[in-house]
């Protein structure tokens, strides 16, 4: 995920957007954010995070089952 996102960011011009997501239960919210941070650093681009989202209400997250929070989404913009 890090390499893919980094390469995508490198390919974007200024003001370009990257929509990225994960549907893997092993990619937790903190890990997803760490991947984004590393991707941004590796790309060498100035980036702002427009949105960070998780699954919609029709995919409920059980408080005692962290694996149910498996959908991650981010919208980034190169500045």
């Amino acid at each position: 995920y890090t390499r893919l996102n980094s390469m995508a960011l490198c390919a974007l011009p200024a003001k370009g957007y990257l929509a990225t997501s994960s549907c893997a239960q092993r990619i937790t919210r903190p890990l997803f954010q760490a991947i984004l941070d590393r991707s941004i650093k590796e790309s060498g681009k100035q980036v702002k995070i427009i949105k960070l989202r998780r699954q919609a209400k029709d995919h409920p997250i059980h408080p005692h089952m962290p694996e149910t929070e498996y959908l991650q989404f981010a919208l980034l913009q190169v500045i």
Side-chain angles (χ1 to χ4, degrees):
Y1 284 119
T2 301
R3 184 168 181 218
L4 178 64
N5 286 314
S6 179
M7 291 172 62
L9 287 169
C10 285
L12 286 173
K15 298 185 181 179
Y17 288 92
L18 172 64
T20 184
S21 61
S22 171
C23 182
Q25 73 185 82
R26 292 183 187 229
I27 306 295
T28 62
R29 171 68 96 179
L31 179 55
F32 186 67
Q33 288 183 271
I35 288 167
L36 295 177
D37 290 342
R38 283 193 307 266
S39 299
I40 292 166
K41 184 176 181 179
E42 287 181 14
S43 75
K45 300 274 186 141
Q46 294 290 321
V47 175
K48 63 181 173 180
I49 298 174
I50 304 296
K51 292 195 185 279
L52 281 175
R53 300 274 176 121
R54 56 186 176 192
Q55 64 247 37
K57 293 178 182 180
D58 63 336
H59 292 273
I61 299 167
H62 190 285
H64 301 293
M65 295 175 66
E67 65 273 12
T68 61
E69 185 179 5
Y70 62 95
L71 295 171
Q72 310 293 333
F73 172 83
L75 181 63
L76 312 174
Q77 184 182 28
V78 176
I79 52 175

